Amino acid sequence: MKVSISFLVFVAVLALASTFGIAYDPSPLQDFCVATNDTNFSLFVNGMFCKDPEKVTVEDFSFSGFNIPRNTSEQLGVYVTLLDVSIIPGLNTNGISLARIDFSPNGGLNPPHTHPRAAEILTVLEGTVYAGFVGTNPDHRLFAKVLHPGDVIIFPFGLIHFQMNIGKTPAVAIAALTSQDPGVITIANAAFGSEPAMDPRVLAKAFHLDQHLVTKLQKEEWINPTY
């Protein structure tokens, strides 16, 4: 049976349209839906109740102090100031969030992690930052480079990525993420610091480690980057 080329093109376009329709959130049908914890409101969008529009103010869409350096004296030498929907309620339904990352000199590290709900674009403002991400199976290809002020790098959706200050002075970067609530999974913390602890045999085999070393690592204090 012969099938016309035009029909095949139509089917392909229809399939693509269906895919994109499923993959992305629908456009909001109102100017804004400012998130609120007040459950007296019936409208529920993106996991949040909407504030009464008559009670919305400009403060629901703003934040002050993003320019203030943070304390990076914790274990990893990093402090992440994340402006997500929990901090700026007006982000609800807009699909974006913003983070400031402060690094201590000589090795301040935002360790390998993923954002299960977002891609990220990072701009270095100060310092010298080594940053990169790792591709998926089977190659696990590393894409990494040293970034200087004004340099930008993208971390694709869900992939493991990291940043480290390799300079002798503090470093600062700004990251924009494609979700109002991107989430974060710090790889080492999730593996060795889970509650309850994972069976050491699983981690020993997965990471090619001695089981006694795994047990020791599980007893360490696994500190998440400060948010």
Side-chain angles (χ1 to χ4, degrees), residues 62-221:
S62 62
F63 175 87
S64 297
F66 208 50
N67 61 314
I68 299 173
R70 309 295 173 173
N71 180 8
T72 58
S73 62
E74 295 291 338
Q75 183 188 56
L76 297 172
V78 68
Y79 195 109
V80 181
T81 305
L82 177 64
L83 303 183
D84 62 4
V85 69
S86 69
I87 304 298
I88 304 180
L91 285 174
N92 192 39
T93 73
N94 284 297
I96 55 174
S97 55
L98 193 66
R100 172 189 171 119
I101 310 171
D102 287 274
F103 303 87
S104 64
N106 299 312
L109 174 67
N110 196 10
H113 63 280
T114 70
H115 301 293
R117 293 181 290 276
E120 177 180 343
I121 182 168
L122 179 134
T123 304
V124 173
L125 300 183
E126 300 176 14
T128 307
V129 177
Y130 173 61
F133 65 90
V134 180
T136 56
N137 296 355
D139 298 327
H140 307 119
R141 186 178 174 189
L142 174 66
F143 298 84
K145 67 179 300 183
V146 175
L147 305 174
H148 301 281
D151 290 344
V152 174
I153 190 170
I154 294 172
F155 305 126
F157 197 108
L159 295 187
I160 295 173
H161 57 282
F162 61 88
Q163 306 102 35
M164 184 172 68
N165 181 7
I166 60 173
K168 296 180 180 179
T169 60
V172 180
I174 298 293
L177 301 106
T178 60
S179 171
Q180 67 183 44
D181 184 15
V184 61
I185 302 171
T186 306
I187 307 304
N189 298 30
F192 297 100
S194 66
E195 293 291 343
M198 207 178 299
D199 189 320
R201 293 173 297 178
V202 174
L203 298 173
K205 191 165 187 177
F207 287 93
H208 299 187
L209 297 174
D210 180 86
Q211 191 169 317
H212 295 294
L213 177 58
V214 169
T215 302
K216 181 180 178 181
L217 288 171
Q218 288 178 315
K219 294 177 181 178
E220 294 285 336
E221 183 180 5

